Amino acid sequence: MSHKTALKIYEWASYILILGATAVYFWLKSNGVAIVLIILVLAVFMRLMMERTRYRACEEENDELRADLRRLTQLLAEEKKKNQEPQK
C-alpha cells in the first residue's frame, strides 16, 4: 500500500470514528460514555497512525534525496578532477 493511500485511509477512518462517537453519544445519552471514549481513543489512534505514515514517507523521500545529493556530489568531484588534469 502506498503512503498516500494509507494517509487517506487513516484520515477518513478517524473522521468516521469521530462522527460515530458523536452519534453514539446522542443515541445512548449518558449510558454510552465508555463506548464513546473507546471510539474517540480509536480515532486518536488513527490520527497518530496517519502522522506516523506521513513521517515515514518524508523520511524515505529525504533518504532518496540524500542519496541523489551524494551521487551528484561524487559526479561533480569526478568532473572537477577530469577538468584539472589536462591543464597541468
Side-chain angles (χ1 to χ4, degrees), residues 32-49:
V33 173
I35 296 171
V36 170
L37 289 176
I38 291 171
I39 294 172
L40 288 176
V41 166
L42 288 174
V44 169
F45 178 73
M46 288 295 152
R47 295 301 278 193
L48 289 174
M49 291 298 294

Side-chain angles (χ1 to χ4, degrees), residues 1-14:
M1 179 178 353
S2 71
H3 292 295
K4 288 184 180 183
T5 305
L7 285 172
K8 291 293 180 186
I9 289 171
Y10 291 137
E11 181 179 17
W12 282 101
S14 67

Side-chain angles (χ1 to χ4, degrees), residues 55-68:
Y55 175 78
R56 290 182 73 193
C58 289
E59 283 299 313
E60 286 179 14
E61 185 177 346
N62 283 342
D63 290 341
E64 290 174 13
L65 291 173
R66 284 185 195 112
D68 289 343

Side-chain angles (χ1 to χ4, degrees), residues 6-85:
L7 285 172
K8 291 293 180 186
I9 289 171
Y10 291 137
E11 181 179 17
W12 282 101
S14 67
Y15 290 145
I16 290 169
L17 286 169
I18 290 171
L19 290 175
T22 305
V24 167
Y25 176 76
F26 285 115
W27 185 46
L28 297 178
K29 299 292 180 193
S30 63
N31 296 336
V33 173
I35 296 171
V36 170
L37 289 176
I38 291 171
I39 294 172
L40 288 176
V41 166
L42 288 174
V44 169
F45 178 73
M46 288 295 152
R47 295 301 278 193
L48 289 174
M49 291 298 294
M50 184 182 81
E51 292 301 321
R52 178 179 173 260
T53 303
R54 182 176 291 147
Y55 175 78
R56 290 182 73 193
C58 289
E59 283 299 313
E60 286 179 14
E61 185 177 346
N62 283 342
D63 290 341
E64 290 174 13
L65 291 173
R66 284 185 195 112
D68 289 343
L69 183 61
R70 270 188 236 110
R71 185 180 56 82
L72 290 173
T73 304
Q74 183 181 11
L75 289 172
L76 180 62
E78 290 173 4
E79 194 64 34
K80 282 183 180 180
K81 194 175 189 179
K82 286 179 187 177
N83 288 339
Q84 288 177 355
E85 287 178 5

